[in-house]
Amino acid sequence: RAAGEVASLASRFLAGSATVHSHMADQLMLPMALGKDVSEYISPILTSHMRTQATMIEAFLPERKITFRPATNGGILVHIGWQ
């Protein structure tokens, strides 16, 4: 039964346009914000953890700006850029 549930979840994720699972999306923000370049990825949904992480990063790295907007093919585009 567990294997079937995992297979179903994986199948739904792979069928979508997201490049990162929502459980990982908030965790990727900090390493990307510490990098030199602009970063973007697509999460299937915008979670409260993602909003909190963005707020914390911008508080400690005020030169960084994190925005969320609808992605073209669905999901949420996370953009980690500069002020």
Side-chain angles (χ1 to χ4, degrees):
R1 177 180 167 143
E5 289 178 25
V6 170
S8 176
L9 288 170
S11 181
R12 281 188 287 164
F13 176 76
L14 293 172
S17 63
T19 54
V20 173
H21 192 276
S22 58
H23 291 164
M24 186 64 142
D26 63 316
Q27 297 175 37
L28 287 176
M29 284 184 202
L30 181 58
M32 290 182 167
L34 292 172
K36 295 179 181 178
D37 296 323
V38 170
S39 298
E40 290 185 332
Y41 57 89
I42 299 172
S43 173
I45 60 173
L46 177 59
T47 67
S48 60
H49 289 271
M50 292 167 64
R51 287 187 178 138
T52 300
Q53 184 74 320
T55 300
M56 292 300 295
I57 289 169
E58 290 175 351
F60 287 95
L61 300 171
E63 68 279 7
R64 285 304 215 169
K65 178 70 177 162
I66 300 173
T67 58
F68 307 104
R69 63 179 182 266
T72 305
N73 296 326
I76 300 296
L77 177 69
V78 180
H79 177 88
I80 303 167
W82 299 97
Q83 290 283 3

